[in-house]
Amino acid sequence: MKTQLLKSTEHKHAAEILKKGGLVAIPTETVYGLAGNATNPEAVSKIFEAKERPKFDPLIVHLSEKYLSDPLLQLSQDGLIDLGLISSDVKPLIQTLIKNFWPGPLTLLLPRGKKIPDLVTSGLPLVGLRMPQHPLTQKLLSELNFPLAAPSANRFGKISPTQAQAVMQELDGRIDAVLDGGPCQVGVESTVVQIISPHEIQILRPGGITQENLQKTTQVQISQAQPKTADHKISAPGMLDSHYAPDKPFFMLPSSWENLSFEKFDKIKKLLQKNQNPSGWLIFWGDEQREKEHLERRLGLPVIVKTLSPIKENWTEAAQNLFLCLRELQDSQAQILFTEPCPSQTGLGHAISDRLQRATAQWKSIWREGA
Ligand code: TXA
Ligand code: MG
């Protein structure tokens, strides 16, 4: 299959492909999504195939802004949710979330309606719904009379794409088209939440809407889902331990590189001396060239450095750059990669930390004693 790279002016062409049951990667404010008609089981099935995604990992359904007026009623009339299963005491909380965070990077889990095929929710009783904020994708949705099921447009387990070129790298030859809407502004995926009661919202995946923002807006308790249920079934598959992973060994440092002990540096040197190529380093803040020079002086070996922002604590920029930096390190000459641990667990730091934990999940062992 030849994958077309469509310009932003060609959204009507993208709409035609989707109407025929084809797949188009679309820009959203968070990351690019791999979209197909959410009400068409064949189109949804093709999404799983193109991504090589296991069928137990459910998809988010993307909505047009037309649902902003009386959303619960309209969603129910279109068969996307089952309003009868939403108790009246949680409706005001859902409405507050929609009013404040849609369109935007918040995915709400609600009882699914008849029009949503089993495959979209992996047979689960709730469907993940979100209204993307990207103007081009909203234009595209306004051409369609169905919503779009769209996981992130990467092969399963790989780095999420935040630019059209990155989607091409992941899925060229597997999908009909990529609609180029420029780089994504948020850079990490949506926050996935479930309403537990009128007094509690649970975060299943941290993302673009922060826990603090949810708390301030709703004034209810915000809890965190446990990564795995007791029977080891995943409660939210975005919570798979290993995810977002580059194609090469990727280790999380125990501290910022400047605070590494001599012992730890020795361990890293030993690991690298077997290797001819430079090592790749994801560093949170600072000027890339300066960090590179300092690190090379300390390590005595060549390095490739990517920083998330030149400005300390610029979390918005850090989130925007995260997946791009990871991809650049993956595609560089570096054979082994390191990342600093995320210096904050609050705000966007929560989502960034989560992604880095998962990206390094299979490579923890070198820090263990004797390893
Ligand atoms: O920002 C985003 O959310 C991006 C853009 C494209 O919208 N999409 C995205 O989709 O990140 P994906 O498929 O990579 O991650 C979706 C995750 C699932 O892995 C799961 O954690 C959660 O959302 N999810 C979706 N539907 C669910 C459901 N019915 N029940 C539980 N979790 C669900
Ligand atoms: Mg994903």
Side-chain angles (χ1 to χ4, degrees):
M1 179 187 291
K2 169 114 181 68
T3 301
Q4 306 174 61
L5 183 56
L6 302 177
K7 291 198 276 291
S8 59
T9 46
E10 295 175 292
H11 65 277
K12 287 203 171 150
H13 184 45
E16 290 312 312
I17 297 172
L18 290 162
K19 284 179 197 166
K20 287 185 201 136
L23 302 186
V24 179
I26 56 167
T28 84
E29 71 280 22
T30 58
V31 301
Y32 274 73
L34 174 55
N37 179 349
T39 59
N40 173 347
E42 283 92 55
V44 175
S45 179
K46 283 199 259 176
I47 296 176
F48 282 91
E49 274 162 42
K51 267 194 73 124
E52 297 173 39
R53 179 175 171 119
K55 297 265 161 72
F56 60 73
D57 196 358
L59 308 181
I60 294 171
V61 173
H62 294 67
L63 304 170
S64 145
E65 276 175 355
K66 75 169 190 193
Y67 287 103
L68 272 184
S69 76
D70 211 345
L72 291 183
L73 186 69
Q74 277 203 78
L75 287 168
S76 150
Q77 280 169 349
D78 284 356
L80 303 180
I81 63 169
D82 186 340
L83 199 51
L85 293 178
I86 302 179
S87 68
S88 54
D89 60 350
V90 298
K91 276 184 196 157
L93 182 53
I94 297 172
Q95 270 147 353
T96 302
L97 288 172
I98 291 177
K99 189 159 159 260
N100 285 279
F101 298 114
W102 279 8
L106 183 76
T107 296
L108 289 175
L109 296 183
L110 297 174
R112 77 165 159 142
K114 289 193 198 76
K115 276 277 180 66
I116 302 288
D118 261 356
L119 203 47
V120 169
T121 69
S122 306
L124 295 169
L126 303 179
V127 58
L129 296 168
R130 95 173 186 92
M131 189 179 284
Q133 201 170 32
H134 200 291
L136 183 56
T137 283
Q138 277 303 334
K139 247 192 206 165
L140 173 66
L141 282 161
S142 71
E143 301 280 331
L144 306 171
N145 61 0
F146 50 81
L148 292 171
S152 52
N154 48 282
R155 277 166 295 136
F156 183 68
K158 303 293 180 197
I159 303 168
S160 303
T162 52
Q163 298 193 335
Q165 268 316 319
V167 180
M168 284 304 259
Q169 198 185 343
E170 289 286 323
L171 298 172
D172 190 12
R174 295 171 178 231
I175 62 176
D176 296 291
V178 180
L179 181 59
D180 190 347
C184 302
Q185 294 304 303
V186 177
V188 289
E189 293 87 344
S190 62
T191 305
V192 179
V193 301
Q194 184 170 353
I195 288 80
I196 303 292
S197 78
H199 316 290
E200 183 184 353
I201 295 170
Q202 192 176 55
I203 296 182
L204 283 90
R205 177 180 70 181
I209 299 290
T210 65
Q211 170 165 359
E212 294 76 9
N213 200 352
L214 284 170
Q215 216 290 319
K216 200 174 78 204
T217 307
T218 61
Q219 302 284 321
V220 302
Q221 188 199 336
I222 314 291
S223 59
Q224 305 291 324
Q226 291 310 309
K228 281 185 183 139
T229 55
D231 57 0
H232 289 282
K233 271 197 41 222
I234 32 187
S235 56
M239 308 180 79
L240 287 168
D241 284 346
S242 179
H243 217 110
Y244 315 105
D247 289 336
K248 37 182 87 159
F250 187 29
F251 298 100
M252 185 172 291
L253 302 168
S255 67
S256 71
W257 78 262
E258 280 163 321
N259 289 326
L260 286 175
S261 64
F262 282 107
E263 222 186 330
K264 292 275 179 345
F265 255 111
D266 263 359
K267 214 163 208 177
I268 294 172
K269 273 190 202 171
K270 269 194 203 122
L271 189 76
L272 295 177
Q273 270 156 3
K274 297 176 202 149
N275 224 293
Q276 298 294 313
N277 287 327
S279 51
W281 295 67
L282 186 69
I283 290 172
F284 267 74
W285 321 117
D287 175 71
E288 272 172 9
Q289 192 54 32
R290 252 192 83 216
E291 295 296 309
K292 174 181 156 69
E293 283 162 16
H294 286 184
L295 185 53
E296 283 184 340
R297 211 170 303 146
R298 178 95 192 258
L299 196 63
L301 292 166
V303 297
I304 294 170
V305 166
K306 287 278 143 204
T307 64
L308 293 182
S309 169
I311 301 154
K312 199 168 177 197
E313 307 281 327
N314 187 337
W315 290 99
T316 307
E317 195 174 330
Q320 263 168 12
N321 288 332
L322 176 69
F323 288 132
L324 186 62
C325 288
L326 276 179
R327 192 170 285 278
E328 283 176 352
L329 286 173
Q330 167 185 271
D331 297 342
S332 75
Q333 292 167 24
Q335 291 299 308
I336 299 182
L337 309 180
F338 298 93
T339 177
E340 291 184 326
C342 185
S344 166
Q345 301 297 317
T346 61
L348 284 171
H350 189 192
I352 294 173
S353 174
D354 169 81
R355 305 309 185 265
L356 288 176
Q357 292 288 347
R358 291 178 212 285
T360 54
Q362 47 178 322
W363 300 104
K364 291 221 166 105
S365 59
I366 62 160
W367 309 118
R368 272 194 234 119
E369 282 316 304

PDB file of all heavy atoms in Angstrom, residues 49-53 152-161 166-167 169-172 174 243-245 247 327 330:
ATOM      1  N   GLU A  49      -4.437  -3.989  13.065  1.00  0.00           N
ATOM      2  CA  GLU A  49      -3.456  -4.664  12.211  1.00  0.00           C
ATOM      3  C   GLU A  49      -2.297  -3.750  11.856  1.00  0.00           C
ATOM      4  O   GLU A  49      -1.140  -4.143  11.948  1.00  0.00           O
ATOM      5  CB  GLU A  49      -4.116  -5.119  10.903  1.00  0.00           C
ATOM      6  CG  GLU A  49      -4.776  -6.474  11.010  1.00  0.00           C
ATOM      7  CD  GLU A  49      -5.751  -6.675   9.873  1.00  0.00           C
ATOM      8  OE1 GLU A  49      -5.435  -6.310   8.722  1.00  0.00           O
ATOM      9  OE2 GLU A  49      -6.856  -7.184  10.148  1.00  0.00           O
ATOM     10  N   ALA A  50      -2.624  -2.519  11.431  1.00  0.00           N
ATOM     11  CA  ALA A  50      -1.562  -1.595  10.989  1.00  0.00           C
ATOM     12  C   ALA A  50      -0.582  -1.316  12.118  1.00  0.00           C
ATOM     13  O   ALA A  50       0.610  -1.171  11.920  1.00  0.00           O
ATOM     14  CB  ALA A  50      -2.183  -0.294  10.488  1.00  0.00           C
ATOM     15  N   LYS A  51      -1.098  -1.249  13.346  1.00  0.00           N
ATOM     16  CA  LYS A  51      -0.255  -0.937  14.506  1.00  0.00           C
ATOM     17  C   LYS A  51       0.394  -2.168  15.118  1.00  0.00           C
ATOM     18  O   LYS A  51       1.216  -2.043  16.010  1.00  0.00           O
ATOM     19  CB  LYS A  51      -1.153  -0.314  15.598  1.00  0.00           C
ATOM     20  CG  LYS A  51      -1.223   1.176  15.594  1.00  0.00           C
ATOM     21  CD  LYS A  51      -1.843   1.689  16.889  1.00  0.00           C
ATOM     22  CE  LYS A  51      -0.926   1.577  18.072  1.00  0.00           C
ATOM     23  NZ  LYS A  51      -0.668   2.789  18.799  1.00  0.00           N
ATOM     24  N   GLU A  52      -0.073  -3.348  14.692  1.00  0.00           N
ATOM     25  CA  GLU A  52       0.310  -4.602  15.366  1.00  0.00           C
ATOM     26  C   GLU A  52      -0.040  -4.517  16.836  1.00  0.00           C
ATOM     27  O   GLU A  52       0.743  -4.873  17.715  1.00  0.00           O
ATOM     28  CB  GLU A  52       1.803  -4.895  15.202  1.00  0.00           C
ATOM     29  CG  GLU A  52       2.221  -5.122  13.770  1.00  0.00           C
ATOM     30  CD  GLU A  52       3.725  -5.237  13.626  1.00  0.00           C
ATOM     31  OE1 GLU A  52       4.365  -5.849  14.489  1.00  0.00           O
ATOM     32  OE2 GLU A  52       4.253  -4.694  12.638  1.00  0.00           O
ATOM     33  N   ARG A  53      -1.232  -3.996  17.096  1.00  0.00           N
ATOM     34  CA  ARG A  53      -1.651  -3.779  18.473  1.00  0.00           C
ATOM     35  C   ARG A  53      -2.493  -4.952  18.951  1.00  0.00           C
ATOM     36  O   ARG A  53      -3.394  -5.395  18.235  1.00  0.00           O
ATOM     37  CB  ARG A  53      -2.475  -2.492  18.521  1.00  0.00           C
ATOM     38  CG  ARG A  53      -3.033  -2.106  19.877  1.00  0.00           C
ATOM     39  CD  ARG A  53      -3.686  -0.752  19.689  1.00  0.00           C
ATOM     40  NE  ARG A  53      -4.456  -0.253  20.790  1.00  0.00           N
ATOM     41  CZ  ARG A  53      -4.144   0.884  21.422  1.00  0.00           C
ATOM     42  NH1 ARG A  53      -3.059   1.559  21.119  1.00  0.00           N
ATOM     43  NH2 ARG A  53      -4.938   1.348  22.358  1.00  0.00           N
ATOM     44  N   SER A 152      -2.644   6.282  19.269  1.00  0.00           N
ATOM     45  CA  SER A 152      -1.474   7.007  18.792  1.00  0.00           C
ATOM     46  C   SER A 152      -0.915   6.289  17.554  1.00  0.00           C
ATOM     47  O   SER A 152      -0.961   5.062  17.472  1.00  0.00           O
ATOM     48  CB  SER A 152      -0.426   7.114  19.897  1.00  0.00           C
ATOM     49  OG  SER A 152      -0.144   5.841  20.435  1.00  0.00           O
ATOM     50  N   ALA A 153      -0.394   7.082  16.595  1.00  0.00           N
ATOM     51  CA  ALA A 153      -0.060   6.540  15.276  1.00  0.00           C
ATOM     52  C   ALA A 153       1.364   5.975  15.225  1.00  0.00           C
ATOM     53  O   ALA A 153       2.146   6.308  14.342  1.00  0.00           O
ATOM     54  CB  ALA A 153      -0.263   7.608  14.211  1.00  0.00           C
ATOM     55  N   ASN A 154       1.672   5.109  16.187  1.00  0.00           N
ATOM     56  CA  ASN A 154       2.974   4.432  16.210  1.00  0.00           C
ATOM     57  C   ASN A 154       2.719   2.929  16.185  1.00  0.00           C
ATOM     58  O   ASN A 154       1.611   2.491  16.495  1.00  0.00           O
ATOM     59  CB  ASN A 154       3.727   4.788  17.509  1.00  0.00           C
ATOM     60  CG  ASN A 154       2.845   4.635  18.728  1.00  0.00           C
ATOM     61  OD1 ASN A 154       2.020   5.493  19.014  1.00  0.00           O
ATOM     62  ND2 ASN A 154       2.996   3.521  19.429  1.00  0.00           N
ATOM     63  N   ARG A 155       3.756   2.169  15.809  1.00  0.00           N
ATOM     64  CA  ARG A 155       3.613   0.719  15.968  1.00  0.00           C
ATOM     65  C   ARG A 155       3.557   0.422  17.466  1.00  0.00           C
ATOM     66  O   ARG A 155       4.123   1.161  18.286  1.00  0.00           O
ATOM     67  CB  ARG A 155       4.769  -0.001  15.288  1.00  0.00           C
ATOM     68  CG  ARG A 155       4.524  -0.168  13.788  1.00  0.00           C
ATOM     69  CD  ARG A 155       5.780  -0.570  13.069  1.00  0.00           C
ATOM     70  NE  ARG A 155       6.754   0.502  13.162  1.00  0.00           N
ATOM     71  CZ  ARG A 155       8.051   0.317  13.434  1.00  0.00           C
ATOM     72  NH1 ARG A 155       8.541  -0.881  13.620  1.00  0.00           N
ATOM     73  NH2 ARG A 155       8.863   1.357  13.517  1.00  0.00           N
ATOM     74  N   PHE A 156       2.873  -0.649  17.819  1.00  0.00           N
ATOM     75  CA  PHE A 156       2.608  -0.963  19.226  1.00  0.00           C
ATOM     76  C   PHE A 156       3.901  -0.976  20.048  1.00  0.00           C
ATOM     77  O   PHE A 156       4.897  -1.603  19.656  1.00  0.00           O
ATOM     78  CB  PHE A 156       1.910  -2.312  19.326  1.00  0.00           C
ATOM     79  CG  PHE A 156       1.538  -2.649  20.737  1.00  0.00           C
ATOM     80  CD1 PHE A 156       0.566  -1.933  21.411  1.00  0.00           C
ATOM     81  CD2 PHE A 156       2.186  -3.678  21.407  1.00  0.00           C
ATOM     82  CE1 PHE A 156       0.230  -2.238  22.716  1.00  0.00           C
ATOM     83  CE2 PHE A 156       1.861  -3.995  22.711  1.00  0.00           C
ATOM     84  CZ  PHE A 156       0.887  -3.267  23.372  1.00  0.00           C
ATOM     85  N   GLY A 157       3.858  -0.272  21.184  1.00  0.00           N
ATOM     86  CA  GLY A 157       5.004  -0.283  22.090  1.00  0.00           C
ATOM     87  C   GLY A 157       6.078   0.732  21.749  1.00  0.00           C
ATOM     88  O   GLY A 157       7.004   0.937  22.517  1.00  0.00           O
ATOM     89  N   LYS A 158       5.958   1.369  20.577  1.00  0.00           N
ATOM     90  CA  LYS A 158       7.018   2.291  20.120  1.00  0.00           C
ATOM     91  C   LYS A 158       6.711   3.732  20.539  1.00  0.00           C
ATOM     92  O   LYS A 158       5.706   4.012  21.172  1.00  0.00           O
ATOM     93  CB  LYS A 158       7.165   2.199  18.599  1.00  0.00           C
ATOM     94  CG  LYS A 158       7.448   0.817  18.088  1.00  0.00           C
ATOM     95  CD  LYS A 158       8.818   0.349  18.532  1.00  0.00           C
ATOM     96  CE  LYS A 158       9.129  -1.036  18.033  1.00  0.00           C
ATOM     97  NZ  LYS A 158      10.220  -1.657  18.744  1.00  0.00           N
ATOM     98  N   ILE A 159       7.595   4.624  20.097  1.00  0.00           N
ATOM     99  CA  ILE A 159       7.483   6.031  20.504  1.00  0.00           C
ATOM    100  C   ILE A 159       6.324   6.710  19.773  1.00  0.00           C
ATOM    101  O   ILE A 159       6.188   6.589  18.553  1.00  0.00           O
ATOM    102  CB  ILE A 159       8.803   6.765  20.183  1.00  0.00           C
ATOM    103  CG1 ILE A 159       9.979   6.062  20.890  1.00  0.00           C
ATOM    104  CG2 ILE A 159       8.724   8.230  20.586  1.00  0.00           C
ATOM    105  CD1 ILE A 159      11.347   6.531  20.412  1.00  0.00           C
ATOM    106  N   SER A 160       5.497   7.444  20.513  1.00  0.00           N
ATOM    107  CA  SER A 160       4.359   8.134  19.900  1.00  0.00           C
ATOM    108  C   SER A 160       4.867   9.243  18.967  1.00  0.00           C
ATOM    109  O   SER A 160       5.851   9.908  19.275  1.00  0.00           O
ATOM    110  CB  SER A 160       3.469   8.755  20.974  1.00  0.00           C
ATOM    111  OG  SER A 160       3.035   7.767  21.870  1.00  0.00           O
ATOM    112  N   PRO A 161       4.175   9.450  17.832  1.00  0.00           N
ATOM    113  CA  PRO A 161       4.628  10.463  16.874  1.00  0.00           C
ATOM    114  C   PRO A 161       4.006  11.835  17.153  1.00  0.00           C
ATOM    115  O   PRO A 161       2.800  11.952  17.369  1.00  0.00           O
ATOM    116  CB  PRO A 161       4.124   9.922  15.539  1.00  0.00           C
ATOM    117  CG  PRO A 161       2.962   9.062  15.875  1.00  0.00           C
ATOM    118  CD  PRO A 161       3.053   8.639  17.300  1.00  0.00           C
ATOM    119  N   ALA A 166       7.245  11.610  11.591  1.00  0.00           N
ATOM    120  CA  ALA A 166       7.404  10.503  12.539  1.00  0.00           C
ATOM    121  C   ALA A 166       6.348   9.426  12.267  1.00  0.00           C
ATOM    122  O   ALA A 166       6.620   8.229  12.396  1.00  0.00           O
ATOM    123  CB  ALA A 166       7.301  11.017  13.974  1.00  0.00           C
ATOM    124  N   VAL A 167       5.147   9.838  11.868  1.00  0.00           N
ATOM    125  CA  VAL A 167       4.109   8.856  11.521  1.00  0.00           C
ATOM    126  C   VAL A 167       4.554   8.061  10.297  1.00  0.00           C
ATOM    127  O   VAL A 167       4.435   6.837  10.254  1.00  0.00           O
ATOM    128  CB  VAL A 167       2.750   9.533  11.207  1.00  0.00           C
ATOM    129  CG1 VAL A 167       1.713   8.476  10.858  1.00  0.00           C
ATOM    130  CG2 VAL A 167       2.273  10.386  12.355  1.00  0.00           C
ATOM    131  N   GLN A 169       7.513   7.436   9.370  1.00  0.00           N
ATOM    132  CA  GLN A 169       8.563   6.514   9.806  1.00  0.00           C
ATOM    133  C   GLN A 169       7.952   5.256  10.437  1.00  0.00           C
ATOM    134  O   GLN A 169       8.431   4.149  10.250  1.00  0.00           O
ATOM    135  CB  GLN A 169       9.422   7.257  10.827  1.00  0.00           C
ATOM    136  CG  GLN A 169      10.762   6.643  11.066  1.00  0.00           C
ATOM    137  CD  GLN A 169      11.493   7.391  12.183  1.00  0.00           C
ATOM    138  OE1 GLN A 169      11.145   8.519  12.553  1.00  0.00           O
ATOM    139  NE2 GLN A 169      12.495   6.761  12.740  1.00  0.00           N
ATOM    140  N   GLU A 170       6.865   5.435  11.187  1.00  0.00           N
ATOM    141  CA  GLU A 170       6.241   4.305  11.886  1.00  0.00           C
ATOM    142  C   GLU A 170       5.358   3.454  10.971  1.00  0.00           C
ATOM    143  O   GLU A 170       5.337   2.239  11.087  1.00  0.00           O
ATOM    144  CB  GLU A 170       5.373   4.829  13.046  1.00  0.00           C
ATOM    145  CG  GLU A 170       6.153   5.407  14.214  1.00  0.00           C
ATOM    146  CD  GLU A 170       6.819   4.327  15.055  1.00  0.00           C
ATOM    147  OE1 GLU A 170       6.213   3.261  15.231  1.00  0.00           O
ATOM    148  OE2 GLU A 170       7.951   4.546  15.516  1.00  0.00           O
ATOM    149  N   LEU A 171       4.586   4.112  10.091  1.00  0.00           N
ATOM    150  CA  LEU A 171       3.475   3.393   9.451  1.00  0.00           C
ATOM    151  C   LEU A 171       3.445   3.474   7.926  1.00  0.00           C
ATOM    152  O   LEU A 171       2.471   3.061   7.303  1.00  0.00           O
ATOM    153  CB  LEU A 171       2.139   3.899  10.016  1.00  0.00           C
ATOM    154  CG  LEU A 171       1.918   3.689  11.515  1.00  0.00           C
ATOM    155  CD1 LEU A 171       0.651   4.402  11.978  1.00  0.00           C
ATOM    156  CD2 LEU A 171       1.835   2.216  11.882  1.00  0.00           C
ATOM    157  N   ASP A 172       4.494   4.003   7.305  1.00  0.00           N
ATOM    158  CA  ASP A 172       4.525   4.107   5.843  1.00  0.00           C
ATOM    159  C   ASP A 172       4.287   2.729   5.224  1.00  0.00           C
ATOM    160  O   ASP A 172       4.898   1.742   5.649  1.00  0.00           O
ATOM    161  CB  ASP A 172       5.891   4.660   5.405  1.00  0.00           C
ATOM    162  CG  ASP A 172       5.891   5.031   3.921  1.00  0.00           C
ATOM    163  OD1 ASP A 172       4.796   5.078   3.319  1.00  0.00           O
ATOM    164  OD2 ASP A 172       6.983   5.262   3.363  1.00  0.00           O
ATOM    165  N   ARG A 174       1.563   1.038   5.483  1.00  0.00           N
ATOM    166  CA  ARG A 174       0.547   0.264   6.229  1.00  0.00           C
ATOM    167  C   ARG A 174      -0.800   0.961   6.290  1.00  0.00           C
ATOM    168  O   ARG A 174      -1.784   0.363   6.730  1.00  0.00           O
ATOM    169  CB  ARG A 174       0.996   0.083   7.684  1.00  0.00           C
ATOM    170  CG  ARG A 174       2.245  -0.749   7.820  1.00  0.00           C
ATOM    171  CD  ARG A 174       2.734  -0.686   9.253  1.00  0.00           C
ATOM    172  NE  ARG A 174       3.895  -1.522   9.412  1.00  0.00           N
ATOM    173  CZ  ARG A 174       4.035  -2.438  10.357  1.00  0.00           C
ATOM    174  NH1 ARG A 174       3.083  -2.616  11.255  1.00  0.00           N
ATOM    175  NH2 ARG A 174       5.123  -3.159  10.432  1.00  0.00           N
ATOM    176  N   HIS A 243       6.492   0.415  27.126  1.00  0.00           N
ATOM    177  CA  HIS A 243       5.745   1.186  26.141  1.00  0.00           C
ATOM    178  C   HIS A 243       6.637   2.338  25.729  1.00  0.00           C
ATOM    179  O   HIS A 243       7.574   2.661  26.433  1.00  0.00           O
ATOM    180  CB  HIS A 243       4.509   1.746  26.853  1.00  0.00           C
ATOM    181  CG  HIS A 243       3.293   1.770  25.995  1.00  0.00           C
ATOM    182  ND1 HIS A 243       2.241   0.952  26.202  1.00  0.00           N
ATOM    183  CD2 HIS A 243       2.949   2.530  24.919  1.00  0.00           C
ATOM    184  CE1 HIS A 243       1.289   1.206  25.305  1.00  0.00           C
ATOM    185  NE2 HIS A 243       1.708   2.162  24.517  1.00  0.00           N
ATOM    186  N   TYR A 244       6.326   2.982  24.626  1.00  0.00           N
ATOM    187  CA  TYR A 244       7.052   4.193  24.209  1.00  0.00           C
ATOM    188  C   TYR A 244       8.552   3.937  24.078  1.00  0.00           C
ATOM    189  O   TYR A 244       9.356   4.836  24.306  1.00  0.00           O
ATOM    190  CB  TYR A 244       6.850   5.340  25.219  1.00  0.00           C
ATOM    191  CG  TYR A 244       5.431   5.549  25.677  1.00  0.00           C
ATOM    192  CD1 TYR A 244       5.008   5.150  26.938  1.00  0.00           C
ATOM    193  CD2 TYR A 244       4.495   6.153  24.838  1.00  0.00           C
ATOM    194  CE1 TYR A 244       3.696   5.343  27.356  1.00  0.00           C
ATOM    195  CE2 TYR A 244       3.180   6.346  25.251  1.00  0.00           C
ATOM    196  CZ  TYR A 244       2.799   5.927  26.510  1.00  0.00           C
ATOM    197  OH  TYR A 244       1.513   6.125  26.925  1.00  0.00           O
ATOM    198  N   ALA A 245       8.944   2.707  23.764  1.00  0.00           N
ATOM    199  CA  ALA A 245      10.356   2.353  23.894  1.00  0.00           C
ATOM    200  C   ALA A 245      11.135   2.556  22.601  1.00  0.00           C
ATOM    201  O   ALA A 245      10.703   2.131  21.534  1.00  0.00           O
ATOM    202  CB  ALA A 245      10.473   0.909  24.346  1.00  0.00           C
ATOM    203  N   ASP A 247      14.267   1.773  19.948  1.00  0.00           N
ATOM    204  CA  ASP A 247      14.738   0.473  19.453  1.00  0.00           C
ATOM    205  C   ASP A 247      16.095   0.064  20.008  1.00  0.00           C
ATOM    206  O   ASP A 247      16.770  -0.761  19.417  1.00  0.00           O
ATOM    207  CB  ASP A 247      14.892   0.532  17.920  1.00  0.00           C
ATOM    208  CG  ASP A 247      13.554   0.588  17.239  1.00  0.00           C
ATOM    209  OD1 ASP A 247      12.574   0.143  17.838  1.00  0.00           O
ATOM    210  OD2 ASP A 247      13.498   1.088  16.099  1.00  0.00           O
ATOM    211  N   ARG A 327      12.858  10.122  19.814  1.00  0.00           N
ATOM    212  CA  ARG A 327      12.973   9.602  18.454  1.00  0.00           C
ATOM    213  C   ARG A 327      14.325   9.977  17.850  1.00  0.00           C
ATOM    214  O   ARG A 327      14.956   9.167  17.175  1.00  0.00           O
ATOM    215  CB  ARG A 327      11.812  10.152  17.610  1.00  0.00           C
ATOM    216  CG  ARG A 327      11.615   9.504  16.269  1.00  0.00           C
ATOM    217  CD  ARG A 327      10.307   9.952  15.642  1.00  0.00           C
ATOM    218  NE  ARG A 327       9.163   9.312  16.279  1.00  0.00           N
ATOM    219  CZ  ARG A 327       8.737   8.074  15.970  1.00  0.00           C
ATOM    220  NH1 ARG A 327       9.353   7.371  15.032  1.00  0.00           N
ATOM    221  NH2 ARG A 327       7.700   7.557  16.587  1.00  0.00           N
ATOM    222  N   GLN A 330      16.874   7.743  19.294  1.00  0.00           N
ATOM    223  CA  GLN A 330      16.709   6.404  18.713  1.00  0.00           C
ATOM    224  C   GLN A 330      17.342   6.337  17.321  1.00  0.00           C
ATOM    225  O   GLN A 330      17.976   5.351  16.965  1.00  0.00           O
ATOM    226  CB  GLN A 330      15.215   6.067  18.612  1.00  0.00           C
ATOM    227  CG  GLN A 330      14.910   4.861  17.749  1.00  0.00           C
ATOM    228  CD  GLN A 330      13.420   4.637  17.585  1.00  0.00           C
ATOM    229  OE1 GLN A 330      12.810   3.952  18.386  1.00  0.00           O
ATOM    230  NE2 GLN A 330      12.815   5.211  16.554  1.00  0.00           N
TER     231      GLN A 330
END
